[in-house]
Amino acid sequence: MKTLQNLIDGTWEDSRSGTSLDVVNPATEELIARLPGGCADDVDHAMTAAVRAQPAWAALPLAERVARIHAWADAVSEHVSELAELECREMGKPVGLGRSFIDGAVAGLRVAADQALTYPFEETVSRPDGSRSRILRHPLGATAVITPWNFPVPMVLGALGPLLASGNTVVVKPSEHSPLSTVRLFELLSLPPGVVNLVLGDARAGAPLAEHEEIRLVHFTGSVETGRRIGAGAGERLHRSVLELGGKDPVVVDAGVDVRATATAVAFGAFVNTGQICTSMERVYVHRDVAEEFVDALVAAAGTYTTGNGLDEDTVLGPLVDERQRDTVRRHVADAEARGATVRTGGIEPEGKGFFYPATVLTDVDESMLVMTEETFGPVVPVSVVSSFEEGLERASRSRFGLAATVYTEDPEHITAAARIPAGITWVNQWQGGGPEGRYEPAGDSGMGATGAHASYDAATRPATVHIAARPGA
Ligand code: NAD
């Protein structure tokens, strides 16, 4: 079986690492590809190309950089089904779901690139004394993007738009679990050599990349544990880091909502992508007035999430990414049961091949349980009954994470109060979505660095001011 190659300076080439890793289809447990383990030599080589390519890329007119990004988006949009199938084989995501997220990411790439056209890369402030200041936003230089496996293609597309449009070059290191779709994504590139480079591997490639002396920014999406290491390394070397990490997102369900519709929405938020979304709904606080009806409807909705191979168009619940992830899910459910939780549905794994886990609803849960405090990243939703909306809001806010939150309520005062939850984004009466103007910085352990709309351009550029004194007599 051929080992996947790196893309460096526009050329596909073998890794210098001499080691390899397996890619296993999580639905069948079959070996489907090999990739290099990665090494510092590969990273050095890629960084040299990125540093060399950067001045010429930044010197292109902005409109041309934006047009080149659109050309990539055009190419990707013609291969959405193929990319979704690769994602399915490498990490289990059902193909229909994969297609819809890749479509969304391509649209997002276009919007993000176009936002460069309204970004103030240069402003001049004139003063009454005749002096003026030019406020410039320079590209940072060569940057690193390190991505997780749960949305392989969208994660890369989401990070690259503002970095490239600002005139930076990039070295990308995708997750070792999901290299196939990223390799294909980069085969569709038509940017000048060295502007985007790809280095494959695990931490053996990620660590030297994140700590490379030539990088000016590391944009990392992944676990809190790895994020802390990357943040510490960035602090040591004084380069910028944007860290988009894990979550334990709460949902508050108020009295007076459409209970059945809300339960259906919560089932989707908890189970889609097999619960492996950083903003998956991971703990629910439901008002006691609607609790019984809500749990019954949630259990009924969970019954519609049957497991299967994601290549089958009818599958709604693919496997977890690997056995390690399934172990985490098992451990959280077992811990909850041992501490008094009730499994209302799910909890029993199907027999046979594949890292499957059923849609699971837990009740009688509290904050002594891992499933209520640590990221589970699986199709498990713990539901806790609260005696008031206020109590729901207070418990939703009590977490070391602060990525996103969702509130279902018809009460106008409660809609306003939803903003009190410390989170980068709070959705009210929907989950996911929002306009292109949204800006976020995760709270707590969920990360640091604001992104979204012009905030992504602030993160991708360095401001500098040139003061020009008034000329005497002018
Ligand atoms: P992970 O931290 O294990 O790996 C993420 C990436 O970092 C991979 O490419 C990996 O190879 C690399 N890596 C591992 N060790 C490294 C090191 N020492 N130095 C540099 N790179 C290293 O995370 P994962 O399991 O791939 O992803 C799941 C996590 O990602 C979850 O916690 C999830 O919540 C989070 N996530 C967050 C967001 C967000 O936007 N906040 C989005 C998606 C996923």
Side-chain angles (χ1 to χ4, degrees), residues 1-18:
M1 186 174 289
K2 210 175 122 208
T3 301
L4 298 170
Q5 292 183 304
N6 294 326
L7 175 65
I8 296 178
D9 213 11
T11 304
W12 291 96
E13 54 182 63
D14 289 336
S15 162
R16 297 157 185 213
S17 69

PDB file of all heavy atoms in Angstrom, residues 1-18:
ATOM      1  N   MET A   1       0.852  -1.203   0.000  1.00  0.00           N
ATOM      2  CA  MET A   1       0.000   0.000   0.000  1.00  0.00           C
ATOM      3  C   MET A   1       0.882   1.246   0.000  1.00  0.00           C
ATOM      4  O   MET A   1       1.836   1.338   0.768  1.00  0.00           O
ATOM      5  CB  MET A   1      -0.887  -0.013   1.254  1.00  0.00           C
ATOM      6  CG  MET A   1      -1.885   1.102   1.277  1.00  0.00           C
ATOM      7  SD  MET A   1      -3.022   0.945   2.668  1.00  0.00           S
ATOM      8  CE  MET A   1      -4.016  -0.451   2.175  1.00  0.00           C
ATOM      9  N   LYS A   2       0.530   2.188  -0.884  1.00  0.00           N
ATOM     10  CA  LYS A   2       1.343   3.405  -1.031  1.00  0.00           C
ATOM     11  C   LYS A   2       1.197   4.321   0.198  1.00  0.00           C
ATOM     12  O   LYS A   2       0.110   4.448   0.753  1.00  0.00           O
ATOM     13  CB  LYS A   2       0.834   4.145  -2.270  1.00  0.00           C
ATOM     14  CG  LYS A   2       1.911   4.939  -2.967  1.00  0.00           C
ATOM     15  CD  LYS A   2       1.375   5.547  -4.260  1.00  0.00           C
ATOM     16  CE  LYS A   2       1.542   7.039  -4.178  1.00  0.00           C
ATOM     17  NZ  LYS A   2       0.673   7.873  -4.881  1.00  0.00           N
ATOM     18  N   THR A   3       2.299   4.912   0.600  1.00  0.00           N
ATOM     19  CA  THR A   3       2.232   5.879   1.712  1.00  0.00           C
ATOM     20  C   THR A   3       1.973   7.269   1.139  1.00  0.00           C
ATOM     21  O   THR A   3       2.576   7.664   0.138  1.00  0.00           O
ATOM     22  CB  THR A   3       3.564   5.851   2.499  1.00  0.00           C
ATOM     23  OG1 THR A   3       3.760   4.529   2.984  1.00  0.00           O
ATOM     24  CG2 THR A   3       3.536   6.810   3.675  1.00  0.00           C
ATOM     25  N   LEU A   4       1.065   8.000   1.756  1.00  0.00           N
ATOM     26  CA  LEU A   4       0.707   9.340   1.261  1.00  0.00           C
ATOM     27  C   LEU A   4       1.921  10.277   1.311  1.00  0.00           C
ATOM     28  O   LEU A   4       2.825  10.089   2.131  1.00  0.00           O
ATOM     29  CB  LEU A   4      -0.425   9.928   2.108  1.00  0.00           C
ATOM     30  CG  LEU A   4      -1.743   9.159   2.089  1.00  0.00           C
ATOM     31  CD1 LEU A   4      -2.691   9.690   3.150  1.00  0.00           C
ATOM     32  CD2 LEU A   4      -2.398   9.255   0.713  1.00  0.00           C
ATOM     33  N   GLN A   5       1.893  11.271   0.431  1.00  0.00           N
ATOM     34  CA  GLN A   5       3.045  12.181   0.334  1.00  0.00           C
ATOM     35  C   GLN A   5       2.721  13.580   0.861  1.00  0.00           C
ATOM     36  O   GLN A   5       1.563  13.978   0.958  1.00  0.00           O
ATOM     37  CB  GLN A   5       3.462  12.295  -1.138  1.00  0.00           C
ATOM     38  CG  GLN A   5       4.043  11.019  -1.702  1.00  0.00           C
ATOM     39  CD  GLN A   5       4.495  11.210  -3.135  1.00  0.00           C
ATOM     40  OE1 GLN A   5       3.703  11.625  -3.980  1.00  0.00           O
ATOM     41  NE2 GLN A   5       5.760  10.929  -3.395  1.00  0.00           N
ATOM     42  N   ASN A   6       3.784  14.308   1.173  1.00  0.00           N
ATOM     43  CA  ASN A   6       3.659  15.726   1.552  1.00  0.00           C
ATOM     44  C   ASN A   6       3.616  16.591   0.295  1.00  0.00           C
ATOM     45  O   ASN A   6       4.162  16.200  -0.746  1.00  0.00           O
ATOM     46  CB  ASN A   6       4.869  16.145   2.390  1.00  0.00           C
ATOM     47  CG  ASN A   6       4.920  15.427   3.726  1.00  0.00           C
ATOM     48  OD1 ASN A   6       3.881  15.132   4.310  1.00  0.00           O
ATOM     49  ND2 ASN A   6       6.118  15.156   4.211  1.00  0.00           N
ATOM     50  N   LEU A   7       3.034  17.773   0.426  1.00  0.00           N
ATOM     51  CA  LEU A   7       3.074  18.763  -0.662  1.00  0.00           C
ATOM     52  C   LEU A   7       3.965  19.914  -0.204  1.00  0.00           C
ATOM     53  O   LEU A   7       3.614  20.643   0.738  1.00  0.00           O
ATOM     54  CB  LEU A   7       1.665  19.282  -0.960  1.00  0.00           C
ATOM     55  CG  LEU A   7       1.607  20.407  -2.012  1.00  0.00           C
ATOM     56  CD1 LEU A   7       2.051  19.920  -3.388  1.00  0.00           C
ATOM     57  CD2 LEU A   7       0.190  21.001  -2.100  1.00  0.00           C
ATOM     58  N   ILE A   8       5.118  20.033  -0.861  1.00  0.00           N
ATOM     59  CA  ILE A   8       6.068  21.075  -0.452  1.00  0.00           C
ATOM     60  C   ILE A   8       6.522  21.845  -1.684  1.00  0.00           C
ATOM     61  O   ILE A   8       6.982  21.239  -2.661  1.00  0.00           O
ATOM     62  CB  ILE A   8       7.264  20.456   0.309  1.00  0.00           C
ATOM     63  CG1 ILE A   8       6.742  19.816   1.607  1.00  0.00           C
ATOM     64  CG2 ILE A   8       8.324  21.520   0.601  1.00  0.00           C
ATOM     65  CD1 ILE A   8       7.750  19.123   2.461  1.00  0.00           C
ATOM     66  N   ASP A   9       6.338  23.147  -1.640  1.00  0.00           N
ATOM     67  CA  ASP A   9       6.748  24.007  -2.746  1.00  0.00           C
ATOM     68  C   ASP A   9       6.119  23.572  -4.074  1.00  0.00           C
ATOM     69  O   ASP A   9       6.781  23.591  -5.117  1.00  0.00           O
ATOM     70  CB  ASP A   9       8.288  23.999  -2.842  1.00  0.00           C
ATOM     71  CG  ASP A   9       8.816  25.339  -3.332  1.00  0.00           C
ATOM     72  OD1 ASP A   9       8.023  26.309  -3.398  1.00  0.00           O
ATOM     73  OD2 ASP A   9      10.017  25.414  -3.655  1.00  0.00           O
ATOM     74  N   GLY A  10       4.885  23.124  -4.008  1.00  0.00           N
ATOM     75  CA  GLY A  10       4.165  22.756  -5.221  1.00  0.00           C
ATOM     76  C   GLY A  10       4.449  21.355  -5.731  1.00  0.00           C
ATOM     77  O   GLY A  10       3.935  20.956  -6.775  1.00  0.00           O
ATOM     78  N   THR A  11       5.263  20.570  -5.003  1.00  0.00           N
ATOM     79  CA  THR A  11       5.615  19.222  -5.462  1.00  0.00           C
ATOM     80  C   THR A  11       5.222  18.185  -4.404  1.00  0.00           C
ATOM     81  O   THR A  11       5.472  18.384  -3.210  1.00  0.00           O
ATOM     82  CB  THR A  11       7.153  19.140  -5.685  1.00  0.00           C
ATOM     83  OG1 THR A  11       7.507  20.161  -6.605  1.00  0.00           O
ATOM     84  CG2 THR A  11       7.567  17.788  -6.222  1.00  0.00           C
ATOM     85  N   TRP A  12       4.622  17.098  -4.884  1.00  0.00           N
ATOM     86  CA  TRP A  12       4.300  15.987  -3.969  1.00  0.00           C
ATOM     87  C   TRP A  12       5.565  15.159  -3.772  1.00  0.00           C
ATOM     88  O   TRP A  12       6.194  14.748  -4.744  1.00  0.00           O
ATOM     89  CB  TRP A  12       3.175  15.126  -4.549  1.00  0.00           C
ATOM     90  CG  TRP A  12       1.874  15.867  -4.547  1.00  0.00           C
ATOM     91  CD1 TRP A  12       1.328  16.571  -5.591  1.00  0.00           C
ATOM     92  CD2 TRP A  12       0.977  16.031  -3.449  1.00  0.00           C
ATOM     93  NE1 TRP A  12       0.148  17.165  -5.210  1.00  0.00           N
ATOM     94  CE2 TRP A  12      -0.098  16.845  -3.900  1.00  0.00           C
ATOM     95  CE3 TRP A  12       0.959  15.582  -2.130  1.00  0.00           C
ATOM     96  CZ2 TRP A  12      -1.161  17.206  -3.073  1.00  0.00           C
ATOM     97  CZ3 TRP A  12      -0.107  15.940  -1.311  1.00  0.00           C
ATOM     98  CH2 TRP A  12      -1.154  16.739  -1.781  1.00  0.00           C
ATOM     99  N   GLU A  13       5.940  14.934  -2.524  1.00  0.00           N
ATOM    100  CA  GLU A  13       7.182  14.199  -2.280  1.00  0.00           C
ATOM    101  C   GLU A  13       7.089  13.344  -1.025  1.00  0.00           C
ATOM    102  O   GLU A  13       6.288  13.604  -0.122  1.00  0.00           O
ATOM    103  CB  GLU A  13       8.357  15.170  -2.174  1.00  0.00           C
ATOM    104  CG  GLU A  13       8.179  16.264  -1.159  1.00  0.00           C
ATOM    105  CD  GLU A  13       9.379  17.213  -1.159  1.00  0.00           C
ATOM    106  OE1 GLU A  13       9.626  17.883  -2.194  1.00  0.00           O
ATOM    107  OE2 GLU A  13      10.056  17.278  -0.137  1.00  0.00           O
ATOM    108  N   ASP A  14       7.955  12.315  -0.988  1.00  0.00           N
ATOM    109  CA  ASP A  14       7.964  11.411   0.166  1.00  0.00           C
ATOM    110  C   ASP A  14       8.466  12.132   1.403  1.00  0.00           C
ATOM    111  O   ASP A  14       9.326  13.007   1.324  1.00  0.00           O
ATOM    112  CB  ASP A  14       8.887  10.212  -0.110  1.00  0.00           C
ATOM    113  CG  ASP A  14       8.278   9.267  -1.144  1.00  0.00           C
ATOM    114  OD1 ASP A  14       7.033   9.276  -1.281  1.00  0.00           O
ATOM    115  OD2 ASP A  14       9.041   8.540  -1.806  1.00  0.00           O
ATOM    116  N   SER A  15       7.944  11.699   2.529  1.00  0.00           N
ATOM    117  CA  SER A  15       8.430  12.210   3.816  1.00  0.00           C
ATOM    118  C   SER A  15       9.855  11.733   4.054  1.00  0.00           C
ATOM    119  O   SER A  15      10.258  10.683   3.552  1.00  0.00           O
ATOM    120  CB  SER A  15       7.519  11.684   4.922  1.00  0.00           C
ATOM    121  OG  SER A  15       8.129  11.777   6.163  1.00  0.00           O
ATOM    122  N   ARG A  16      10.603  12.497   4.833  1.00  0.00           N
ATOM    123  CA  ARG A  16      11.956  12.052   5.210  1.00  0.00           C
ATOM    124  C   ARG A  16      11.920  11.274   6.518  1.00  0.00           C
ATOM    125  O   ARG A  16      12.967  10.937   7.060  1.00  0.00           O
ATOM    126  CB  ARG A  16      12.843  13.294   5.373  1.00  0.00           C
ATOM    127  CG  ARG A  16      12.976  14.064   4.072  1.00  0.00           C
ATOM    128  CD  ARG A  16      13.344  15.516   4.299  1.00  0.00           C
ATOM    129  NE  ARG A  16      13.337  16.186   2.994  1.00  0.00           N
ATOM    130  CZ  ARG A  16      14.125  17.181   2.649  1.00  0.00           C
ATOM    131  NH1 ARG A  16      14.998  17.655   3.508  1.00  0.00           N
ATOM    132  NH2 ARG A  16      14.047  17.710   1.454  1.00  0.00           N
ATOM    133  N   SER A  17      10.727  11.027   7.053  1.00  0.00           N
ATOM    134  CA  SER A  17      10.641  10.465   8.408  1.00  0.00           C
ATOM    135  C   SER A  17      11.004   8.985   8.477  1.00  0.00           C
ATOM    136  O   SER A  17      11.485   8.523   9.508  1.00  0.00           O
ATOM    137  CB  SER A  17       9.231  10.655   8.970  1.00  0.00           C
ATOM    138  OG  SER A  17       8.304   9.854   8.284  1.00  0.00           O
ATOM    139  N   GLY A  18      10.737   8.231   7.399  1.00  0.00           N
ATOM    140  CA  GLY A  18      11.023   6.797   7.436  1.00  0.00           C
ATOM    141  C   GLY A  18      10.086   6.018   8.355  1.00  0.00           C
ATOM    142  O   GLY A  18      10.308   4.838   8.627  1.00  0.00           O
TER     143      GLY A  18
END
